[in-house]
Amino acid sequence: MTITQEQATWFAQTFGQLADNVERAVLGKRHTVELVLTAMLSEGHVLLEDVPGTGKTSLARAMGQSVQGTNTRIQFTPDLLPGDITGISVYDQKEGVFEFHAGPIFANIVLADEINRASPKTQSALLEVMEEGRVTIDGVTRQVGVPFLVLATQNPVEQAGTYRLPEAQLDRFMMRTSLGYPDHAATVRILDGAAVATADLAPIITPQALVGMADLAAQVYVDALVLDYIARLVDSTRSADEVRLGVSIRGALALTRATRTRAVSQGRTYATPDDVKALAVPVLSHRLILHPEAEFDGVTQEAVIGQVLLDVAPPSRREAV
């Protein structure tokens, strides 16, 4: 079953309303807001990587407020334990049974603040739930519900008291992006009090409607030539001279899902190579592992993906539509 033009038009309008609502709290960052929305509607997770004070937490909170569901915030610290995230079983002496107390991971939108300040053992508590939407504790598997989005923030690893995220966990984030500092005009508006407090944002959509939008996005038509283009991009990352480990098949699938969502957010029922190119850097770059020599020379993951996009010729618009 494929999406109709009427459904695509409705999707684009609703997508725009969500972006407008979030941007009331995070001024001047429309592109990043749309990326996060694209990931959420593609059933993916987002890593916001930036220096403190740029609005990462405000963006995540605004996303949570815009959806009429449950949202929680976990402040990651060095002494945080896995059970503090997933929940624990507590023995009830009166009843003589163990009773499960759900952790903050059981919510529609979870803000994992400063995720790289927790120990690797605690970080690993997110691996299963981010991949499969469920948590296994004491041999019992529990679903966290839908929709489910982890919005994690991360400070640069050069800062004191941080732990680098392992590659296996990075690969579970659909996108990595950053906010950066606002431009001059947005800064003046923020100083003038134009930004709306996230707590004052009205919800725009219900969780059930959000799941319906994700289902619509999955029906967007992707031509075989566009799929071939994605596969060639991924293959090129694995053979690049600066790369020790290229993009995984999980990364290729994530790019395909995000491409569908971006296409329908533009009001189209089909994906184009331009959709792929617009998402390649935020979806693929964090999945690369560079050679130490390349890192020492100042090569970045984003630069490698940028070069791959230049080297791999996309199909023509006429062929791919």
Side-chain angles (χ1 to χ4, degrees):
M1 187 170 64
T2 57
I3 188 171
T4 66
Q5 185 56 55
E6 291 77 13
Q7 290 173 322
T9 301
W10 172 83
F11 187 106
Q13 291 173 347
T14 307
F15 187 94
Q17 291 172 359
L18 283 166
D20 290 341
N21 199 53
V22 174
E23 203 180 12
R24 292 175 62 204
V26 186
L27 301 179
K29 296 297 176 183
R30 182 75 177 200
H31 178 66
T32 305
V33 168
E34 290 182 348
L35 281 179
V36 175
L37 281 173
T38 298
M40 181 170 67
L41 292 168
S42 305
E43 300 179 336
H45 309 288
V46 180
L47 179 63
L48 294 171
E49 186 177 74
D50 220 328
V51 295
T54 52
K56 301 185 298 295
T57 303
S58 294
L59 173 59
R61 281 190 172 279
M63 292 289 297
Q65 287 291 116
S66 297
V67 179
Q68 198 175 23
T70 56
N71 60 87
T72 57
R73 178 178 183 269
I74 307 171
Q75 179 62 56
F76 280 69
T77 56
D79 60 348
L80 193 73
L81 299 175
D84 296 329
I85 299 173
T86 59
I88 57 174
S89 296
V90 178
Y91 185 70
D92 187 334
Q93 291 184 330
K94 184 177 180 180
E95 300 293 334
V97 295
F98 280 95
E99 182 179 342
F100 177 68
H101 290 246
I105 199 66
F106 288 84
N108 296 126
I109 297 179
V110 178
L111 167 57
D113 218 358
E114 297 184 307
I115 188 174
N116 59 333
R117 290 201 178 278
S119 67
K121 180 179 181 180
T122 301
Q123 291 174 6
S124 67
L126 292 174
L127 290 177
E128 180 188 16
V129 67
M130 288 178 64
E131 180 69 15
E132 302 173 26
R134 64 187 187 184
V135 177
T136 302
I137 302 171
D138 297 333
V140 179
T141 299
R142 296 175 172 86
Q143 300 291 331
V144 295
V146 290
F148 176 66
L149 168 71
V150 173
L151 266 174
T153 69
Q154 172 175 266
N155 292 332
V157 294
E158 291 79 10
Q159 298 206 2
T162 58
Y163 299 83
R164 185 184 294 271
L165 292 180
E167 290 76 13
Q169 186 160 0
L170 281 172
D171 203 31
R172 282 165 169 77
F173 285 101
M174 173 172 277
M175 294 185 191
R176 181 184 67 181
T177 186
S178 63
L179 280 167
Y181 293 115
D183 59 25
H184 178 76
T187 300
V188 171
R189 292 176 61 204
I190 292 170
L191 296 177
D192 194 39
V196 176
T198 53
D200 296 333
L201 292 179
I204 298 296
I205 193 170
T206 64
Q208 294 77 16
L210 201 69
V211 172
M213 290 182 70
D215 291 341
L216 285 178
Q219 299 171 22
V220 170
Y221 174 71
V222 183
D223 191 86
L225 288 170
V226 177
L227 295 176
D228 176 73
Y229 179 48
I230 293 173
R232 287 187 290 119
L233 287 174
V234 169
D235 288 340
S236 294
T237 66
R238 299 167 183 166
S239 58
D241 293 336
E242 306 90 346
V243 177
R244 181 159 59 92
L245 189 64
V247 175
S248 66
I249 189 62
R250 183 189 284 125
L253 289 168
L255 182 55
T256 304
R257 292 202 309 271
T259 295
R260 285 190 164 98
T261 303
R262 185 183 187 275
V264 70
S265 73
Q266 307 293 313
R268 285 184 276 106
T269 61
Y270 57 88
T272 70
D274 288 339
D275 294 321
V276 178
K277 289 191 282 188
L279 294 168
V281 171
V283 175
L284 300 182
S285 62
H286 63 286
R287 305 173 194 273
L288 300 180
I289 300 178
L290 304 181
H291 287 295
E293 297 83 1
E295 290 186 295
F296 183 77
D297 290 339
V299 176
T300 64
Q301 297 162 316
E302 290 81 5
V304 172
I305 298 298
Q307 188 59 48
V308 166
L309 288 171
L310 292 174
D311 294 341
V312 178
S316 69
R317 184 178 296 272
R318 179 176 299 175
E319 290 175 330
V321 175

